[in-house]
Amino acid sequence: MLFNRKSLKKSVKTPPLKSYNPETQRPVLRCSICTGEQVAGFKDIRTGKFEEVALIRDDRELRNFMETYGIDKVTKEY
């Protein structure tokens, strides 16, 4: 018997973990000049506060982030 065993199947498209309001936020990809690390998230237009949503390691993860939130264009910040 298996107790507390979660399903091993992974959903192809995961639901958004954070709500995105295009009127008050804009999608941003923060990139490190030194390490090349990229983090996708949303930046508040008024306050400039950045909220991380996902670590981006390749183009597939960036496409998945954009499809999940219905984003066409992401600006890069260094």
Side-chain angles (χ1 to χ4, degrees), residues 6-28:
K6 291 184 180 180
S7 174
L8 298 176
K9 291 182 181 181
K10 283 192 173 183
S11 170
V12 174
K13 188 172 182 180
T14 58
L17 300 174
K18 180 188 177 320
S19 61
Y20 161 60
N21 185 358
E23 295 176 2
T24 61
Q25 297 173 319
R26 64 184 175 115
V28 173

Side-chain angles (χ1 to χ4, degrees), residues 29 37-40 52-58 61-62 65:
L29 188 63
E37 180 180 79
Q38 297 180 346
V39 177
E52 295 180 3
V53 175
L55 176 66
I56 306 297
R57 293 176 290 228
D58 56 18
E61 290 181 349
L62 180 60
F65 168 75

Side-chain angles (χ1 to χ4, degrees), residues 3 5 12 26 34 36 38 41 43 47-48 69 71 76-77:
F3 296 101
R5 205 62 177 180
V12 174
R26 64 184 175 115
C34 299
Q38 297 180 346
K43 188 172 187 177
T47 63
Y69 291 98
I71 300 168
K76 286 188 175 183
E77 288 186 355

Side-chain angles (χ1 to χ4, degrees), residues 31-72:
C31 306
S32 170
I33 295 172
C34 299
T35 62
E37 180 180 79
Q38 297 180 346
V39 177
F42 301 107
K43 188 172 187 177
D44 191 300
I45 295 171
R46 285 179 266 133
T47 63
K49 181 180 176 189
F50 180 75
E51 292 186 41
E52 295 180 3
V53 175
L55 176 66
I56 306 297
R57 293 176 290 228
D58 56 18
D59 290 335
R60 181 181 52 85
E61 290 181 349
L62 180 60
R63 273 187 268 118
N64 186 26
F65 168 75
M66 293 174 72
E67 289 174 1
T68 301
Y69 291 98
I71 300 168
D72 296 331

